[in-house]
Amino acid sequence: ERIWSAASVNLVVNGGFEDPAIDNYRFFDESISGWTVSRDRIEIINQSYGQGLQARSGRQFLALNGGGGLYQEISTRPDTIYRLVFHMAREPDAKGPTTLVVNAGTTRADYTIPLAQSGYRRETLSFKGAVGTVTRIAISSTTAAEAGPLVDDVSIEVAGSEE
């Protein structure tokens, strides 16, 4: 008997970075709705700001500048496999490849956005729910330059159960 399905409700709060609504761009160094800032400053940008910057969906997206990072605690079950889905792009004025690291509990993956990439690329990271009831999802830039990765549409799907 299968209780969970991949079509279940997204477990990520504010995965489109639409809250709070901002006019152009704004830096945050402590928290935004659903997320805690862990390193440096993160920036929420509204695509109305221009400069060739676009959201993948909605009107806003996350920019991780020069080592910026954030995390969110997600309620999970230890016997369940989850899939973290996110979309990443680079700032139009990036001078080289843009890199980021994504952690989901004890699972870690490094990603590179090549200079040739235009627009957003969908990525997935499968992970097992942490022992206990909470898994930390963390997204951090590993790009030293100010023009870091752009992230939008972060979600988690239940991929299946080990039962």
Side-chain angles (χ1 to χ4, degrees):
E1 174 181 338
R2 188 172 170 154
I3 301 166
W4 300 87
S5 75
S8 61
V9 176
N10 180 14
L11 301 173
V12 175
V13 174
N14 197 24
F17 305 99
E18 300 294 322
D19 182 21
I22 54 167
D23 292 332
N24 289 313
Y25 64 90
R26 190 165 128 206
F27 288 96
F28 295 86
D29 55 15
E30 291 180 11
S31 66
I32 60 168
S33 177
W35 298 90
T36 300
V37 177
S38 56
R39 292 201 333 235
D40 289 340
R41 297 183 306 173
I42 60 148
E43 186 179 12
I44 303 298
I45 302 175
N46 188 305
Q47 65 185 13
S48 66
Y49 176 59
Q51 313 298 319
L53 297 162
Q54 292 289 317
R56 183 181 177 277
S57 72
R59 308 229 4 106
Q60 298 181 172
F61 54 92
L62 170 70
L64 296 170
N65 303 300
L70 43 62
Y71 68 88
Q72 185 170 140
E73 307 279 330
I74 305 293
S75 294
T76 56
R77 291 170 40 141
D79 59 348
T80 303
I81 305 298
Y82 297 87
R83 188 168 31 249
L84 175 65
V85 180
F86 62 98
H87 297 80
M88 61 184 195
R90 64 172 179 78
E91 288 197 31
D93 58 351
K95 303 288 188 258
T98 302
T99 56
L100 68 157
V101 61
V102 177
N103 293 279
T106 58
T107 303
R108 172 193 163 122
D110 292 275
Y111 298 92
T112 298
I113 305 160
L115 205 50
Q117 177 182 324
S118 62
Y120 285 87
R121 182 173 94 218
R122 181 180 192 269
E123 289 290 344
T124 61
L125 178 63
S126 293
F127 67 96
K128 188 174 175 185
V131 175
T133 59
V134 172
T135 300
R136 178 174 286 192
I137 306 302
I139 304 170
S140 303
S141 172
T142 49
T143 305
E146 187 65 24
L150 307 177
V151 177
D152 203 359
D153 278 348
V154 180
S155 63
I156 291 180
E157 304 168 343
V158 176
S161 174
E162 291 191 328
E163 293 172 20

